[in-house]
Amino acid sequence: MSHVLVTGANGFVGRALSRALIGDGQTVTGIARQPDSCEAGVDEWINTSTDFVNLAKAWPPTLKPDCVIHLAARVHVLHEDTADPEAAFRATNVEGALRVAETAHQFGVRRMVFVSSIKAVGERDSGYPLREDDLPSPQDAYGRSKLEAEQVLVRYGRETGLEVVIIRPPLVYGPEVRANFLRLLDGVCKGVPLPLSAIRARRSLVYIDNLVDALVRCSTDPRAAGQCFHVADGNDLTVSELARAIGKHLESPARLFPVPVSWLQMVGRVTHRSPQIDRLIQSLQVDTSRIRSVLGWQPRYSTDDGLAATARWYRSTH
């Protein structure tokens, strides 16, 4: 049995990951900012320092994890009010992640699993699924900060011997999902007409239980050391197919109608929402062959399984 330290343990992915680790027989310590916010069975470490400053001074003397899974991050902010977003993303996602790595190594941790994002590579593919060794071209401050964090952590691992594993998920969905996916659930459930049926681009997704299954594997499997993996369900849907599948499981058929993609692009420019429209209309598929071949990993759940579970949660809470 191993001991895993999880940063961001009270978040969407952190709570699901903690459940999976505990179910796998591992001891879990979770770093969170609020008490009593983690899953039952997690040993909470309340740490309110900004960007993990002075983490080493606060490290509990009895804490001796084998692995750190680093989830905590500054993510997309819908209404950005920071004067310098680039610096804010870098402070948390790069400098904060490096502090976690340095402190973990100082206290004898063997491995760090860093949850990055497919946005470190780009916002769209180029006609074929994105591979781990494709030339990265992140398009926003968040993606750039995740790519820089990957590079900094890999370099630190090579210098010190800390085993660094990088995971790049695309959009994560499942029970307790928030943001755009929750808005899509709301729209389908309420019968809102959605102008999506003309969009043919496909997008990779990852069901949260598939993601955490891969993270659990990467926390212990010796073959994962030094690797970077893309993780997804492997069943890439168009946004209209996704909406129809959600409608099936919500028992509320999606109301879709066609609008030419060029019109959607024009609306994006007029409303200053081009990045959001581009994410709808552009293809973003990821290649997961590396984790399948290196670790023999396969997603445990199909996309339909994941959407069914998400719909059950939504119907029980809304």
Side-chain angles (χ1 to χ4, degrees), residues 76 117-126 128 130 135-144 169-171 180 201-204 274-286:
H76 296 285
S117 168
I118 198 62
K119 291 178 178 292
V121 185
E123 295 285 352
R124 60 177 298 178
D125 61 47
S126 299
Y128 61 92
L130 293 175
L135 183 66
S137 181
Q139 298 298 302
D140 61 12
Y142 172 72
R144 287 188 288 273
L171 188 149
N180 288 337
R202 295 187 176 275
R203 310 279 295 190
S204 292
S274 289
Q276 293 89 333
I277 297 297
D278 287 345
R279 283 194 287 273
L280 275 178
I281 65 177
Q282 294 177 348
S283 174
L284 180 57
Q285 296 181 268
V286 305

XYZ file of all heavy atoms in Angstrom, residues 76 117-126 128 130 135-144 169-171 180 201-204 274-286:
347
model
N -9.384 28.539 -16.090
C -9.990 29.636 -16.843
C -10.910 30.456 -15.954
O -11.703 29.916 -15.177
C -10.784 29.089 -18.025
C -9.914 28.395 -19.024
N -9.099 29.076 -19.895
C -9.699 27.076 -19.266
C -8.444 28.211 -20.647
N -8.782 26.997 -20.282
N -2.864 19.791 -19.230
C -4.066 19.964 -20.052
C -3.682 19.806 -21.513
O -2.554 20.142 -21.910
C -4.675 21.357 -19.827
O -5.665 21.645 -20.800
N -4.622 19.329 -22.316
C -4.367 19.265 -23.752
C -4.161 20.664 -24.313
O -3.537 20.840 -25.371
C -5.519 18.534 -24.489
C -5.050 18.079 -25.874
C -6.762 19.402 -24.563
C -3.909 17.089 -25.855
N -4.607 21.691 -23.581
C -4.407 23.067 -24.022
C -2.936 23.471 -24.010
O -2.568 24.486 -24.601
C -5.238 24.023 -23.164
C -6.737 23.889 -23.399
C -7.515 24.817 -22.490
C -9.012 24.714 -22.747
N -9.387 25.250 -24.076
N -2.093 22.684 -23.356
C -0.660 22.934 -23.437
C -0.139 22.659 -24.843
O 0.912 23.184 -25.237
C 0.091 22.067 -22.426
N -0.856 21.844 -25.606
C -0.474 21.537 -26.987
C -1.187 22.478 -27.953
O -0.592 22.975 -28.907
C -0.803 20.078 -27.344
C -0.278 19.733 -28.736
C -0.230 19.137 -26.311
N -2.475 22.716 -27.738
C -3.224 23.600 -28.624
C -4.715 23.492 -28.408
O -5.195 22.701 -27.593
N -5.459 24.303 -29.159
C -6.913 24.349 -29.066
C -7.592 23.533 -30.151
O -8.804 23.340 -30.123
C -7.404 25.802 -29.162
C -6.983 26.697 -28.016
C -7.775 26.430 -26.746
O -8.751 25.656 -26.791
O -7.423 27.003 -25.707
N -6.815 23.060 -31.121
C -7.389 22.298 -32.223
C -6.334 21.340 -32.762
O -5.140 21.512 -32.535
C -7.868 23.235 -33.342
C -6.762 24.096 -33.948
C -7.250 24.957 -35.093
N -7.742 24.143 -36.195
C -8.268 24.631 -37.315
N -8.380 25.948 -37.460
N -8.669 23.843 -38.280
N -6.803 20.309 -33.463
C -5.858 19.430 -34.132
C -5.632 19.922 -35.555
O -6.225 20.906 -35.991
C -6.339 17.971 -34.091
C -7.677 17.768 -34.796
O -7.838 18.268 -35.925
O -8.560 17.094 -34.220
N -4.762 19.245 -36.269
C -4.443 19.649 -37.646
C -4.869 18.587 -38.644
O -4.193 18.335 -39.642
C -2.933 19.911 -37.768
O -2.530 20.952 -36.904
N -5.461 15.402 -37.673
C -5.174 14.093 -37.076
C -5.105 14.286 -35.562
O -4.801 15.380 -35.072
C -3.858 13.520 -37.606
C -2.648 14.374 -37.307
C -1.892 14.168 -36.146
C -2.263 15.403 -38.168
C -0.801 14.953 -35.863
C -1.169 16.195 -37.880
C -0.436 15.972 -36.734
O 0.649 16.757 -36.458
N -4.033 14.731 -31.828
C -2.802 15.272 -31.263
C -2.043 14.201 -30.489
O -2.607 13.495 -29.658
C -3.122 16.441 -30.335
C -3.701 17.700 -30.986
C -4.087 18.711 -29.924
C -2.713 18.304 -31.972
N 4.415 19.350 -31.957
C 4.931 20.670 -31.593
C 3.833 21.459 -30.892
O 2.766 21.695 -31.463
C 5.397 21.416 -32.843
C 6.039 22.784 -32.603
C 7.361 22.627 -31.860
C 6.256 23.502 -33.940
N 4.045 21.870 -29.633
C 2.977 22.572 -28.908
C 2.773 23.992 -29.408
O 3.729 24.667 -29.804
C 3.471 22.559 -27.455
C 4.951 22.424 -27.553
C 5.228 21.626 -28.788
N 1.513 24.419 -29.383
C 1.164 25.780 -29.760
C -0.012 26.249 -28.921
O -1.131 26.427 -29.425
C 0.814 25.842 -31.259
O 0.493 27.170 -31.638
N 0.203 26.449 -27.617
C -0.898 26.887 -26.748
C -1.388 28.270 -27.146
O -0.603 29.124 -27.572
C -0.266 26.894 -25.354
C 1.209 27.028 -25.594
C 1.477 26.324 -26.886
N -2.696 28.487 -27.000
C -3.314 29.697 -27.535
C -3.736 30.710 -26.482
O -4.198 31.787 -26.832
C -4.529 29.317 -28.382
C -4.201 28.458 -29.584
C -3.269 29.163 -30.559
O -3.592 30.245 -31.051
N -2.118 28.573 -30.828
N -3.617 30.369 -25.203
C -4.003 31.337 -24.177
C -3.067 31.227 -22.982
O -2.186 30.369 -22.932
C -5.468 31.151 -23.748
C -5.758 29.783 -23.149
O -4.794 29.038 -22.852
O -6.946 29.456 -22.968
N -3.262 32.128 -22.018
C -2.357 32.191 -20.867
C -2.388 30.897 -20.072
O -1.358 30.455 -19.555
C -2.727 33.379 -19.981
N -3.563 30.282 -19.954
C -3.684 29.023 -19.231
C -2.853 27.929 -19.903
O -2.051 27.246 -19.258
C -5.147 28.610 -19.159
C -5.372 27.227 -18.601
C -5.193 26.957 -17.249
C -5.765 26.175 -19.432
C -5.399 25.683 -16.739
C -5.977 24.903 -18.932
C -5.785 24.661 -17.587
O -5.984 23.400 -17.083
N -3.026 27.762 -21.209
C -2.286 26.746 -21.934
C -0.791 26.988 -21.892
O 0.001 26.056 -21.734
N -0.391 28.250 -22.039
C 1.042 28.554 -21.987
C 1.625 28.237 -20.611
O 2.745 27.728 -20.498
C 1.282 30.019 -22.360
C 1.084 30.309 -23.850
C 1.504 31.711 -24.220
N 0.583 32.718 -23.731
C -0.512 33.141 -24.385
N -0.828 32.604 -25.558
N -1.289 34.083 -23.889
N -5.251 15.775 -20.021
C -6.631 15.455 -20.376
C -7.237 16.538 -21.257
O -6.858 17.711 -21.166
C -7.335 15.408 -19.016
C -6.552 16.370 -18.173
C -5.124 16.317 -18.664
N -8.211 16.164 -22.096
C -9.059 17.167 -22.743
C -10.177 17.538 -21.767
O -10.000 17.409 -20.544
C -9.584 16.422 -23.967
C -9.645 14.990 -23.514
C -8.515 14.803 -22.533
N -11.333 17.954 -22.259
C -12.437 18.330 -21.386
C -12.848 17.145 -20.521
O -13.060 16.042 -21.013
C -13.621 18.805 -22.224
C -14.804 19.409 -21.473
C -15.492 20.467 -22.323
C -15.829 18.351 -21.067
N -18.898 24.962 -18.788
C -19.624 24.850 -20.054
C -20.409 23.547 -20.170
O -21.489 23.519 -20.759
C -18.647 24.963 -21.234
C -18.127 26.368 -21.412
O -18.760 27.329 -20.987
N -16.962 26.508 -22.012
N -17.184 19.053 -36.532
C -15.903 18.820 -35.869
C -16.082 17.898 -34.663
O -17.098 17.953 -33.970
C -15.304 20.150 -35.411
N -15.080 17.059 -34.432
C -15.131 16.113 -33.311
C -14.182 16.556 -32.198
O -13.111 17.102 -32.460
C -14.772 14.697 -33.779
C -15.803 14.149 -34.753
C -15.586 12.692 -35.104
N -16.673 12.242 -35.963
C -17.842 11.790 -35.526
N -18.049 11.690 -34.201
N -18.789 11.424 -36.363
N -14.609 16.300 -30.965
C -13.830 16.698 -29.798
C -13.632 15.509 -28.871
O -14.563 14.765 -28.591
C -14.562 17.801 -29.015
C -15.053 18.975 -29.825
C -13.988 19.978 -30.112
N -13.467 20.641 -28.933
C -12.658 21.704 -28.980
N -12.281 22.203 -30.156
N -12.194 22.256 -27.874
N -12.419 15.321 -28.416
C -12.149 14.282 -27.424
C -12.621 14.747 -26.055
O -12.497 15.923 -25.701
C -10.655 13.959 -27.368
O -10.221 13.332 -28.540
N -15.139 34.906 -29.826
C -14.546 34.028 -30.830
C -13.857 32.804 -30.228
O -13.991 31.696 -30.765
C -13.562 34.810 -31.708
O -14.257 35.691 -32.562
N -13.110 32.936 -29.113
C -12.485 31.720 -28.557
C -13.512 30.650 -28.174
O -13.294 29.459 -28.402
C -11.740 32.248 -27.317
C -11.462 33.680 -27.634
C -12.671 34.143 -28.395
N -14.641 31.071 -27.607
C -15.680 30.104 -27.226
C -16.308 29.464 -28.458
O -16.544 28.243 -28.481
C -16.761 30.794 -26.379
C -16.287 31.261 -25.006
C -15.723 32.671 -25.017
O -15.225 33.150 -26.028
N -15.794 33.333 -23.867
N -16.565 30.244 -29.486
C -17.136 29.701 -30.719
C -16.145 28.757 -31.400
O -16.513 27.682 -31.890
C -17.541 30.836 -31.678
C -18.639 31.705 -31.059
C -17.999 30.262 -33.018
C -19.930 30.979 -30.786
N -14.871 29.149 -31.413
C -13.855 28.302 -32.037
C -13.791 26.936 -31.362
O -13.592 25.907 -32.021
C -12.483 28.979 -31.976
C -12.371 30.151 -32.940
O -13.231 30.266 -33.838
O -11.436 30.959 -32.781
N -13.959 26.906 -30.034
C -13.919 25.625 -29.333
C -15.103 24.735 -29.713
O -15.027 23.516 -29.604
C -13.872 25.850 -27.820
C -12.495 26.279 -27.328
C -12.375 26.159 -25.824
N -13.111 27.181 -25.125
C -12.634 28.383 -24.822
N -11.399 28.702 -25.175
N -13.355 29.258 -24.171
N -16.179 25.343 -30.156
C -17.341 24.581 -30.610
C -17.137 24.012 -32.002
O -17.530 22.879 -32.285
C -18.590 25.466 -30.617
C -19.389 25.642 -29.335
C -20.552 26.594 -29.588
C -19.903 24.306 -28.815
N -16.538 24.802 -32.881
C -16.559 24.453 -34.298
C -15.267 23.805 -34.783
O -15.225 23.285 -35.901
C -16.861 25.695 -35.157
C -15.735 26.731 -35.028
C -18.207 26.301 -34.762
C -15.928 27.961 -35.908
N -14.199 23.816 -33.978
C -12.926 23.265 -34.409
C -12.712 21.871 -33.812
O -13.096 21.598 -32.682
C -11.775 24.189 -34.006
C -11.799 25.530 -34.722
C -10.701 26.463 -34.253
O -10.040 26.225 -33.251
N -10.507 27.556 -34.990
N -12.071 21.014 -34.569
C -11.795 19.659 -34.124
C -10.634 19.645 -33.126
O -9.628 20.326 -33.325
C -11.439 18.783 -35.330
O -11.032 17.500 -34.916
N -10.801 18.878 -32.053
C -9.721 18.683 -31.085
C -9.769 17.238 -30.621
O -10.410 16.899 -29.631
C -9.843 19.638 -29.896
C -8.752 19.517 -28.822
C -7.370 19.712 -29.440
C -8.972 20.504 -27.698
N -9.095 16.379 -31.373
C -9.024 14.966 -31.030
C -7.611 14.639 -30.551
O -6.635 15.194 -31.046
C -9.370 14.096 -32.241
C -10.813 14.277 -32.711
C -11.142 13.388 -33.896
O -10.998 13.784 -35.049
N -11.590 12.172 -33.606
N -7.524 13.738 -29.569
C -6.225 13.385 -29.022
C -5.944 11.902 -29.240
O -6.853 11.071 -29.236
C -6.114 13.738 -27.524
C -6.436 15.209 -27.297
C -7.018 12.868 -26.668
